[in-house]
Amino acid sequence: MKKALPIILLIVMAVCLTSCDPETLGSFMGKMGQNFYGLKANMKDVNKATEKIDNSVTDNGDGTVSIDLDVAAKVIDDIGKIKASEGKTEEFQKQLAEPVSEDNGAAVQVALQSEIQNVIDDVLPNPATIEDPKAKDIVEKVSAALEEAKAGISENPTRAELVTVAVISNMANLAQEIAANPAMLDNVEDQVRVVDAGLSSLDTLKMVSEYAGLSLVDGIDFSALLEDLGKGAEISRADEDDAIKYVAMAADNVRTLIAMLTKDGVVNDIKYSSVLSQAKATRHSFELMAVPYIKGNRTDLADLDQILSNKNIKKGLSTDDFVLYFESLILTELDKDDLKAFVNTHYAKLIDLEHYAEDEQMASDLEDLFDDAKDIIKHKDDGKYTAWNSMGTLAVLLVKTNLKDTIFKIADVESFSAFIDEL
Amino acid sequence: MKKFIISALIILMVCTAVFAETQEKVVYDEGDYALNFAFQPTLSRYNAMGQSGLALQTRLDSFFSNPAVLGKNGFAMSIPSVSVTLYNLEKIVSDPESVELYKKITGGSASDSETVKFATKLLSNLGTGRNLVATIDVGAAMKLGIFGFGTNAQVKLHGLNNGTSIGSQSIIPEINVAQTVAFGLRLIDTSALSLSAGASVHAVYKTYMQGIDAATAANFIGGSDVTTTLLWNTPTMAGYAIPFDLGVNIGFLDDVITLSATANNINGIYYMKSYSALGDVVNKISKKAATPPEGYEALDSESFKIKTPWSLNFGFAFAPDVPVLNPVLTADLVDMFELCKSFGSWIKDKENSDFRASDLLLHLNLGAEIGVFDIVTLRGGINRGYLSLGAGLWLPFMQVEASYGWQEFGNQIGDKPVDSLTIKFSLGYDKK
């Protein structure tokens, strides 16, 4: 009996535990996950980074401020340590969301806009004077990103905005260097520097930019998708109607994007410019990372096939990065006024996509909108593909994200040039 | 264009690994989310006691982490022991939809899509960075006088996500087979003071696969062809290492108080080769054991090394001889070499060093154990500030153990605490 008693007690305990309310059990389990010592991550790196940003702003004492973008850009060096820690990332993003100046936001706005103009006027060369097509493309893109950034500075700029501008102006310095000496892209050491600059700019933007931190495909229900497409490895092109259903599953993220663009139900010009500058900066970071690998005469698509067999391209980016570049490509190539009109017209449906995903009028307007964007993939002008850098970046990303075989299998092609032609 | 974009979005979420990639080596030991491939069998009691207990001299599995405990002669055997560890349970239990799906699956009424949905939730719960899905250990061990022998087979499913969404999640299966030989010597043996030293050698054969994307992994549970994908469609790395451990114990008052020092995983260098598929590894071990599909062509292997870190650890145990209760208190200072390096960097450059006095707590694991009714043992502990608890049930020639606790998977404390539940069954004889 003495030995039987503990066994009986154990059985009773086991029954109680298994029939315990999951909510209560989950709550108890969650409490055990709190750190008993109350220890939190060391925020030294975060505070150091924030201090750098604050040190780039000087109060002139006469109601104006001066901003040194080169100083703010030094925060790029700290991003690596911060992004490896979820706790630090969260704290850093919280500090980034705070305004640069509590009581003189207008002066900061003016100073930022002035600094951006200085970069456009004094740092970037006139694209018309640049012969090398790669260098010309880089300068044009950075210039466009800066113009949008200038138009998108809010009335009380946050640290995040300041850092985004600093990152773009940092890219402008590199663009100037490339424009002055395009041959540097053939030099291995400089290639590494350019690739690193692209990747570190991208890391920084993902940290500081609300746009770059958004993933439009997150939230799509795998299980329903797989059920509709059929189990197993054979994936065929999805039926368009079914596909829209899955687009609706990204409704939450679409709502977030729409909120970033609009105010009181209509597109706000300043907010739109801000998002566009972030998208352009993001796109340009990817293209900067890819530019040393894109070689060829910029007329023959087969040159892009060579990229996919380039062993120097190291893997290391994720599917999320491929999606982010694709999103940025589309967003930055869409006609600005057309996109504004689309969002304004269909605002109510876009923020309730779960119920309006199959709205025919919206689908038709979206089709018209994307007809513009598809040209950036296949644009030909006198036999030359003017979207060479974009196509090349897609090719590089297929290698870096290890998606080449999968995408080719789905598209039923055997080369990148065939993939582009198929579109 | 719209069709392309929509198709492309779907493609990106359903990245099935239909074809194997090249025979480049696949490594996960660099950057922010490096995986630790050092081999460590699952020790349920150790986990329940806040991952402390280096200085505990009584149990069979003690010699896997501190061979000096073999200095205390004894006999124990477990043939076999089986343990299963599941991770990220709290997220499942706290989600009503997951609980509902689980009930349907265990009740046999879940549809295939519901099963896949549950699998998808399990994968989503892995989050960003590194994580574990499950670990299964099967082993046999024997302690015979001053010698210890152990054989372990372990399957581990790592999760790794260097992006933010489930689209970037991958599952990395790892298989370890290890043979351990250990011995300990009692150099001083008096009731006031004892001194023991020991060494153990582990011959470890390790294989791991290239990460399998989340969609494919979820589909496995839904019933797709696991065998073909794992055996012939996934590049695999395989190799061996012969790490060893050293340990020293100092006992006071008939070993009521014990102090220990161990150096673990010395020479933890794995000599690896890349293979086109697991089937090639199987056929290398046992010729033609696996039949490749028609048209399959194995590529050449690439050799490489994986260095796993060694660690210096100190332990304390207080185990007074109290009948029935058999209470134990343990405290371990783990990974002291890293702590000393960090402290050293602070001495050299206080301004730029990350060291804080509270870091000592991050290297301190505490544990306690007490017997109840002579056949149940209750355990609890604190592992880097995270709580753990567990219990052991002692039946004639059988032990059942369970432990539940949290541990840090992130780079900094508080970054990514992950919970796990371990259930272990052992057949054999072991001292409480």
Side-chain angles (χ1 to χ4, degrees):
Chain A
M1 186 58 201
K2 214 165 145 186
K3 293 248 171 167
L5 180 60
I7 295 172
I8 292 166
L9 273 173
L10 268 171
I11 293 169
V12 168
M13 270 172 61
V15 168
C16 288
L17 204 62
T18 50
S19 59
C20 196
D21 168 36
E23 212 176 298
T24 311
L25 185 60
S27 171
F28 171 71
M29 288 162 90
K31 282 194 173 83
M32 281 184 68
Q34 308 290 324
N35 194 283
F36 184 77
Y37 303 134
L39 290 175
K40 294 185 169 59
N42 188 342
M43 292 299 162
K44 199 168 168 181
D45 295 322
V46 171
N47 295 335
K48 203 165 118 188
T50 307
E51 202 181 314
K52 273 185 193 172
I53 301 169
D54 292 341
N55 287 346
S56 69
V57 181
T58 312
D59 190 335
N60 295 328
D62 57 358
T64 64
V65 301
S66 303
I67 297 178
D68 188 338
L69 291 175
D70 288 338
V71 171
K74 286 188 169 49
V75 81
I76 293 174
D77 300 332
D78 299 317
I79 296 299
K81 275 190 180 175
I82 295 173
K83 77 174 183 139
S85 162
E86 285 181 20
K88 285 181 181 177
T89 299
E90 207 178 297
E91 175 60 25
F92 188 50
Q93 287 175 330
K94 210 166 105 185
Q95 293 187 19
L96 284 172
E98 290 168 9
V100 173
S101 169
E102 289 292 341
D103 48 15
N104 204 1
V108 173
Q109 182 191 35
V110 166
L112 259 180
Q113 286 169 337
S114 166
E115 277 305 308
I116 293 171
Q117 194 58 50
N118 287 343
V119 173
I120 294 171
D121 293 339
D122 301 336
V123 174
L124 288 174
N126 183 349
T129 63
I130 305 170
E131 283 183 17
D132 182 85
K134 261 190 209 175
K136 184 173 179 171
D137 189 71
I138 288 169
V139 168
E140 280 173 343
K141 291 224 165 61
V142 173
S143 180
L146 283 168
E147 293 286 359
E148 288 296 349
K150 188 174 148 199
I153 301 294
S154 67
E155 285 163 8
N156 193 8
T158 61
R159 289 190 181 106
E161 286 180 81
L162 172 51
V163 175
T164 304
V165 170
V167 168
I168 305 173
S169 79
N170 201 47
M171 289 197 274
N173 290 329
L174 187 56
Q176 179 201 42
E177 209 181 320
I178 294 171
N181 178 22
M184 70 180 265
L185 292 175
D186 298 320
N187 172 276
V188 171
E189 268 178 36
D190 288 321
Q191 282 175 0
V192 170
R193 203 159 55 86
V194 169
V195 171
D196 280 348
L199 289 173
S200 52
S201 298
L202 184 64
D203 275 345
T204 308
L205 286 168
K206 281 185 198 174
M207 181 81 62
V208 309
S209 155
E210 196 183 355
Y211 165 78
L214 188 65
S215 171
L216 281 181
V217 294
D218 206 9
I220 292 182
D221 187 337
F222 258 132
S223 53
L225 173 60
L226 290 170
E227 186 173 18
D228 280 351
L229 293 179
K231 289 189 281 288
E234 292 300 318
I235 306 295
S236 58
R237 280 191 189 276
D239 179 81
E240 203 164 290
D241 291 336
D242 283 340
I244 290 169
K245 179 170 79 176
Y246 299 110
V247 171
M249 291 176 191
D252 271 341
N253 290 322
V254 170
R255 261 190 290 278
T256 305
L257 182 61
I258 298 300
M260 283 164 62
L261 293 169
T262 60
K263 191 175 176 181
D264 301 327
V266 291
V267 173
N268 175 276
D269 285 336
I270 292 178
K271 292 180 90 173
Y272 188 3
S273 290
S274 175
V275 169
L276 212 52
S277 74
Q278 292 172 56
K280 286 186 177 181
T282 304
R283 175 183 167 180
H284 181 62
S285 298
F286 280 110
E287 291 180 0
L288 196 62
M289 174 273 303
V291 81
Y293 304 118
I294 304 170
K295 297 183 195 306
N297 60 15
R298 305 171 80 82
T299 56
D300 190 351
L301 271 187
D303 283 342
L304 292 176
D305 290 331
Q306 301 298 318
I307 293 176
L308 298 182
S309 53
N310 187 338
K311 298 283 180 208
N312 293 326
I313 302 175
K314 303 291 173 210
K315 296 177 183 42
L317 295 184
S318 67
T319 308
D320 292 329
D321 292 303
F322 190 92
V323 173
L324 180 60
Y325 177 67
F326 207 79
E327 286 169 16
S328 306
L329 200 55
I330 302 295
L331 191 61
T332 52
E333 288 296 331
L334 290 174
D335 180 85
K336 209 168 165 179
D337 289 331
D338 288 349
L339 180 60
K340 265 173 78 171
F342 175 81
V343 172
N344 287 339
T345 306
H346 298 290
Y347 176 80
K349 295 170 194 169
L350 286 168
I351 61 168
D352 191 13
L353 207 54
E354 293 93 338
H355 298 112
Y356 289 101
E358 297 185 34
D359 183 86
E360 282 181 18
Q361 185 58 54
M362 186 169 70
S364 167
D365 289 348
L366 193 63
E367 175 83 48
D368 292 340
L369 208 57
F370 283 130
D371 275 343
D372 301 336
K374 76 179 177 187
D375 286 344
I376 59 117
I377 305 293
K378 296 180 76 167
H379 196 156
K380 261 182 170 173
D381 185 18
D382 292 334
K384 292 182 187 175
Y385 285 89
T386 60
W388 194 260
N389 278 0
S390 305
M391 289 192 290
T393 303
L394 273 176
V396 171
L397 281 174
L398 282 181
V399 178
K400 271 191 128 6
T401 56
N402 209 22
L403 289 173
K404 184 196 82 171
D405 283 347
T406 309
I407 298 249
F408 283 10
K409 168 72 177 165
I410 303 301
D412 196 22
V413 296
E414 290 183 5
S415 68
F416 185 72
S417 48
F419 175 63
I420 296 294
D421 274 341
E422 190 73 14
L423 292 174
Chain B
M1 181 61 200
K2 186 168 112 180
K3 188 169 180 180
F4 162 70
I5 290 167
I6 291 166
S7 297
L9 288 174
I10 291 164
I11 285 161
L12 291 166
M13 294 308 293
V14 190
C15 303
T16 50
V18 176
F19 291 131
E21 266 290 275
T22 62
Q23 262 23 85
E24 292 174 33
K25 65 184 183 191
V26 177
V27 289
Y28 298 105
D29 62 350
E30 292 168 2
D32 298 329
Y33 302 132
L35 297 182
N36 184 0
F37 278 126
F39 170 67
Q40 169 73 40
T42 304
L43 305 171
S44 178
R45 184 197 200 197
Y46 180 73
N47 289 344
M49 293 174 72
Q51 295 196 352
S52 70
L54 277 178
L56 273 179
Q57 303 208 44
T58 52
R59 291 289 304 277
L60 171 60
D61 55 13
S62 302
F63 76 79
F64 282 106
S65 38
N66 180 7
V69 303
L70 291 169
K72 197 164 183 169
N73 275 356
F75 171 76
M77 183 178 75
S78 78
I79 299 176
S81 69
V82 179
S83 73
V84 176
T85 306
L86 301 173
Y87 296 81
N88 303 286
L89 279 179
E90 184 260 342
K91 286 183 180 170
I92 296 287
V93 172
S94 304
D95 175 25
E97 194 183 3
S98 296
V99 172
E100 216 34 63
L101 287 169
Y102 173 74
K103 282 179 182 169
K104 281 187 176 180
I105 290 167
T106 49
S109 63
S111 66
D112 285 345
S113 74
E114 284 175 325
T115 308
V116 172
K117 188 167 189 171
F118 183 72
T120 308
K121 278 185 176 289
L122 286 179
L123 295 169
S124 291
N125 288 343
L126 297 175
T128 302
R130 50 177 178 254
N131 210 322
L132 281 167
V133 179
T135 306
I136 300 171
D137 286 72
V138 177
M142 183 186 290
K143 181 169 140 180
L144 199 61
I146 61 168
F147 292 101
F149 305 95
T151 302
N152 299 88
Q154 182 184 72
V155 176
K156 230 174 183 176
L157 296 178
H158 297 269
L160 188 63
N161 189 341
N162 61 356
T164 51
S165 72
I166 192 176
S168 297
Q169 182 69 256
S170 58
I171 303 299
I172 301 159
E174 178 191 349
I175 302 170
N176 294 299
V177 177
Q179 179 66 46
T180 300
V181 175
F183 77 93
L185 290 173
R186 197 86 159 178
L187 302 169
I188 297 172
D189 190 5
T190 69
S191 57
L193 175 74
S194 69
L195 175 66
S196 306
S200 60
V201 177
H202 315 274
V204 184
Y205 190 79
K206 180 187 293 295
T207 63
Y208 66 89
M209 296 181 188
Q210 183 180 60
I212 297 165
D213 62 86
T216 307
N219 236 354
F220 283 164
I221 300 175
S224 75
D225 191 358
V226 182
T227 311
T228 307
T229 304
L230 288 183
L231 206 52
W232 297 110
N233 284 351
T234 310
T236 302
M237 316 297 127
Y240 71 92
I242 307 181
F244 60 92
D245 305 327
L246 301 171
V248 171
N249 277 5
I250 302 175
F252 301 94
L253 307 173
D254 244 344
D255 294 334
V256 167
I257 295 171
T258 312
L259 299 175
S260 301
T262 64
N264 295 93
N265 199 51
I266 301 169
N267 189 42
I269 301 172
Y270 286 83
Y271 297 87
M272 308 292 290
K273 280 189 174 176
S274 63
Y275 295 87
S276 302
L278 181 62
D280 294 332
V281 179
V282 169
N283 284 340
K284 186 176 165 149
I285 296 169
S286 170
K287 259 192 161 51
K288 297 193 181 167
T291 309
E294 204 174 309
Y296 174 81
E297 236 181 84
L299 301 182
D300 290 339
S301 295
E302 181 185 345
S303 296
F304 61 101
K305 292 181 195 173
I306 295 177
K307 289 183 184 166
T308 56
W310 74 284
S311 62
L312 177 65
N313 311 297
F314 300 126
F316 162 85
F318 173 63
D321 190 11
V322 177
V324 177
L325 292 178
N326 296 315
V328 174
L329 289 173
T330 56
D332 285 4
L333 284 170
V334 297
D335 211 9
M336 292 308 295
F337 188 62
E338 283 305 313
L339 180 66
C340 292
K341 263 177 30 182
S342 180
F343 181 66
S345 73
W346 179 76
I347 298 282
K348 277 187 196 161
D349 185 1
K350 290 186 174 65
E351 175 92 13
N352 293 314
S353 169
D354 285 337
F355 177 78
R356 297 176 296 179
S358 57
D359 284 353
L360 192 65
L361 289 174
L362 299 180
H363 291 263
L364 175 64
N365 293 345
L366 301 169
E369 179 183 83
I370 193 155
V372 178
F373 298 119
D374 209 27
I375 67 164
V376 171
T377 308
L378 298 177
R379 301 169 183 135
I382 303 175
N383 168 13
R384 302 184 80 189
Y386 296 114
L387 296 177
S388 61
L389 46 84
L393 177 65
W394 301 84
L395 299 169
F397 298 106
M398 181 167 129
Q399 294 93 47
V400 181
E401 293 177 309
S403 65
Y404 175 78
W406 289 77
Q407 52 187 302
E408 183 60 61
F409 271 61
N411 290 333
Q412 295 265 334
I413 201 73
D415 272 358
K416 189 166 183 164
V418 172
D419 66 320
S420 63
L421 171 71
T422 301
I423 308 283
K424 181 178 175 183
F425 296 92
S426 309
L427 285 178
Y429 170 78
D430 196 0
K431 207 174 169 189
K432 277 185 222 158

